[in-house]
């Protein structure tokens, strides 16, 4: 990993300052919602009210949902179609509010399983409610508004940077780059010890790296380490807690909807029910009983600019029964996450297994709108893509070469460049389908 060029870092910092001003201007709305959330309210009633209002809005003003009948919010929701990322990307404008005001929105970009990034618009309400609930989580941990936050290891920084984030309640934030020489790392360690963060926020791998950097040194323990964005393995949490002397609380979310659930002090993931409704479905898209594992499907109850309703996350998990309470006392429903996004294995002619994900990751880098790997037989694999501009014969050759490198020359690789995707159960967008007999997979 090389250090980012100084002019790229300057450009990034300039963009970041502009974002900080934008967030600061939104803070009055954040604080207003935060105060409302400090009051007493019935979560279930709030959810029904927000769901009813969202679905009525969608049916009236969002093209893909136009005219859908809306009555009881929960049974109405079940009649709305599931939405997969590829469909959303292909049909973006039809998922937006007819009377959208772009000046009030911010766009987030997600990459992921199919090459092209997806743009999702968040409106002012979404931004205010998301920030207000994040602030409430911080305050519940005993952190003040003007807390000190450390974001360790930024690959696009070449230095230590500090700033005040008015938009998150006037937090003092420090970040530092992830590459440098010995002198750089001694400086970073000294700065961390001087900064004395109240809270560390980052991907689990970055927090583990921070623990390695500070191991054996005497540094003040933060109140908590908040992780997000990657699976937090138990060994990682243990390592972080041992070195930094603070509990690790993980969050689960998607850029498309921001935080979905966050861990409480008892370790349970509580759904952020004020903003997010979660369902769990099987391969055919039907609801599974509470406690059973399936694909998590989320609805953003707040964002109107581009309502995400029954959006398929591709992640696996299960819902605790609605009435089940956590020891921490929160009324928010609990979610169990299961190692998700594991597409299963390809089987070679000799019966050995090959990780499909290796092939899928390579396909994800090609100029294709969507891709799918289908194992037809032990010695036959079909790769289906829907090409975008810029797809060349070299890309075509690379697909075959990558498949042969993974599976061996005895496997016949068939290519379909025009998107004749295979449906699997009721799921429209699965990246890997195995047609081998059940016992052979
Ligand atoms: Zn809890």
């Amino acid at each position: 990993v090389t250090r980012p060029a100084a002019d790229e870092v300057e450009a990034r910092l300039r963009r970041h300052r502009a974002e900080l001003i934008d967030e600061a201007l939104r803070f009055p709305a954040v604080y207003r919602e935060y105060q409302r959330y400090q009051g007493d309210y019935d979560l279930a009633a709030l959810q029904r009210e927000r769901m009813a209002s969202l679905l009525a809005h969608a049916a009236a003003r969002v093209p893909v949902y136009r005219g859908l009948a809306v009555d009881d919010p929960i049974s109405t929701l079940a009649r709305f179609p599931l939405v997969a990322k590829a469909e959303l990307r292909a049909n973006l404008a039809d998922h937006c509010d007819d009377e959208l005001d772009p000046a009030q929105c911010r766009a987030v970009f997600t990459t992921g399983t199919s090459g092209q990034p997806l743009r999702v618009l968040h409106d002012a309400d979404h931004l205010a409610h998301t920030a207000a609930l994040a602030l409430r989580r911080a305050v519940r941990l005993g952190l003040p508004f003007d807390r000190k936050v450390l974001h360790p290891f930024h690959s696009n920084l070449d230095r230590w940077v500090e700033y005040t984030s008015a938009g998150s309640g006037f937090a003092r934030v420090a970040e530092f780059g992830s590459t440098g020489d010995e002198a750089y790392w001694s400086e970073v360690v000294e700065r961390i010890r001087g900064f004395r963060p109240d809270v560390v926020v980052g991907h689990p791998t970055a927090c583990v790296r921070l623990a390695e950097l500070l191991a054996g040194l005497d540094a003040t323990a933060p109140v908590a380490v908040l992780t997000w964005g990657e699976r937090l393995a138990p060994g990682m949490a243990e390592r972080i807690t041992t070195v930094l002397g603070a509990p690790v609380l993980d969050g689960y979310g998607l850029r498309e909807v921001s935080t979905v659930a966050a861990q409480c002090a008892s370790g349970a993931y509580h759904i952020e029910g004020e903003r997010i409704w979660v369902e769990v479905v099987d391969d055919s898209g039907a609801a599974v009983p509470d406690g059973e594992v399936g694909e998590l499907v989320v609805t953003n109850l707040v964002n109107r600019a581009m309502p995400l309703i029954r959006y398929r996350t591709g992640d696996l998990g299960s819902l605790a029964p609605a009435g089940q309470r956590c020891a921490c006392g929160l009324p928010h429903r609990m979610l169990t996450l299961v190692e998700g996004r594991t597409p299963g294995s390809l089987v070679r002619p000799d019966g050995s297994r090959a990780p499909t994900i290796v092939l899928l990751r390579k396909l994800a880098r090609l100029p294709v709108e969507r891709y799918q790997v289908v194992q037809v037989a032990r010695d036959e694999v079909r790769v289906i893509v829907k090409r975008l501009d810029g797809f060349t014969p070299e890309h075509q050759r690379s697909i075959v070469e990558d498949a042969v490198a993974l599976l061996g020359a005895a496997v016949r690789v068939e290519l379909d460049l025009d998107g004749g995707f295979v449906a699997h159960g009721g799921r429209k967008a699965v990246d890997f389908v195995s047609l081998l007999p059940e016992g052979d997979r």
Side-chain angles (χ1 to χ4, degrees):
V1 185
T2 51
R3 261 185 130 173
D7 57 338
E8 281 167 30
V9 176
E10 292 301 339
R12 187 240 175 203
L13 291 175
R14 271 196 304 278
R15 280 197 307 277
H16 187 231
R17 275 184 212 110
E19 281 163 21
L20 284 174
I21 304 256
D22 183 54
E23 284 170 14
L25 292 170
R26 295 180 190 278
F27 188 67
V30 173
Y31 187 66
R32 200 161 54 235
E33 297 305 338
Y34 167 79
Q35 282 185 308
R36 285 198 190 130
Y37 285 131
Q38 291 301 97
D40 272 338
Y41 56 88
D42 176 344
L43 180 59
L46 181 80
Q47 287 175 317
R48 280 184 72 83
E49 184 194 313
R50 288 191 174 166
M51 179 81 79
S53 160
L54 171 80
L55 299 180
H57 165 81
R61 293 196 0 188
V62 179
V64 284
Y65 300 119
R66 179 122 42 226
L68 281 177
V70 176
D71 40 70
D72 170 73
I74 307 302
S75 51
T76 298
L77 181 71
R79 292 197 300 270
F80 273 59
L82 294 172
V83 177
K85 191 173 199 167
E87 295 161 27
L88 189 62
R89 187 189 303 104
N91 220 357
L92 201 64
D94 286 342
H95 280 269
C96 292
D97 181 356
D98 284 336
E99 291 162 53
L100 178 72
D101 177 5
Q104 287 302 310
C105 294
R106 259 204 343 213
V108 292
F109 294 88
T110 76
T111 50
T113 51
S114 44
Q116 283 257 317
L118 166 68
R119 189 176 53 151
V120 174
L121 295 177
H122 288 156
D123 62 22
D125 281 341
H126 170 94
L127 298 170
H129 286 263
T130 302
L133 290 165
L135 202 48
R136 185 177 70 177
R137 277 199 305 278
V139 170
R140 280 186 175 157
L141 286 171
L143 294 164
F145 272 26
D146 59 344
R147 61 212 182 275
K148 286 184 287 180
V149 182
L150 178 65
H151 292 307
F153 299 100
H154 275 253
S155 56
N156 51 10
L157 278 184
D158 63 352
R159 68 194 76 164
W160 177 273
V161 175
E162 275 184 48
Y163 55 89
T164 296
S165 167
S168 58
F170 301 91
R172 185 74 185 158
V173 183
E175 308 179 348
F176 61 86
S178 62
T179 46
D181 56 17
E182 251 174 73
Y184 172 76
W185 289 116
S186 335
E187 186 204 328
V188 164
V189 167
E190 279 320 298
R191 283 188 182 267
I192 294 170
R193 297 170 80 184
F195 184 68
R196 290 186 292 140
D198 297 312
V199 60
V200 173
V201 180
H203 288 179
T205 45
C207 296
V208 168
R209 245 185 117 180
L210 181 70
E212 301 307 336
L213 186 68
L214 299 178
L217 298 170
D218 187 28
T220 318
V223 172
V225 176
L226 307 181
T227 55
W228 63 280
E230 292 167 350
R231 295 294 296 155
L232 173 72
M236 298 171 104
E238 203 180 297
R239 177 71 182 149
I240 296 165
T241 297
T242 305
V243 175
L244 301 182
V248 178
L249 302 177
D250 188 40
Y252 163 67
L254 311 170
R255 274 180 198 277
E256 292 91 316
V257 298
S258 310
T259 301
V260 171
Q263 265 185 320
C264 68
S266 310
Y269 286 86
H270 289 277
I271 296 168
E272 200 159 273
E274 289 87 350
R275 298 177 37 245
I276 301 288
W277 182 264
V278 179
E279 299 168 82
V280 181
V281 301
D282 64 16
D283 280 353
S284 70
V288 305
D290 291 348
E292 280 186 26
V293 173
E295 183 179 2
L296 301 173
V297 169
V298 297
T299 295
N300 183 335
L301 298 174
V302 174
N303 193 45
R304 300 291 179 87
M306 187 176 159
L308 284 195
I309 299 171
R310 309 197 80 203
Y311 181 66
R312 298 176 48 165
T313 64
D315 291 322
L316 300 177
S318 63
L319 278 175
Q324 192 174 313
R325 281 301 174 95
C326 178
C328 76
L330 281 176
H332 299 72
R333 198 157 178 195
M334 290 179 284
L335 182 70
T336 303
L337 293 163
V338 174
E339 191 60 62
R341 293 186 174 127
T342 47
S345 299
L346 285 153
V347 181
R348 299 189 182 96
D350 66 1
S352 65
R353 278 157 198 287
T356 316
I357 193 79
V358 172
L359 202 51
L360 295 178
R361 283 199 185 121
K362 298 204 164 174
L363 290 168
R365 293 194 203 105
L366 300 178
V368 294
E369 185 188 300
R370 216 191 120 189
Y371 53 78
Q372 188 179 53
V373 174
V374 180
Q375 179 144 38
V376 180
R378 277 195 177 188
D379 60 357
E380 185 182 347
V381 165
R382 196 184 313 151
V383 179
I384 308 163
V385 298
K386 191 165 175 211
R387 288 172 289 179
L388 291 168
D389 289 349
F391 189 94
T392 64
E394 278 78 64
H395 291 126
Q396 189 174 331
R397 270 197 295 280
S398 75
I399 294 176
V400 178
E401 281 167 16
D402 290 339
V404 168
L406 182 69
L407 300 168
V411 170
R412 190 162 74 253
V413 181
E414 236 184 87
L415 269 183
D416 174 346
L417 300 174
D418 296 305
F421 297 106
V422 175
H424 180 63
R427 293 170 71 160
K428 282 185 188 157
V430 278
D431 297 335
F432 173 56
V433 174
S434 178
L435 302 178
L436 296 182
E438 194 117 347
D440 211 17
R441 280 176 211 165

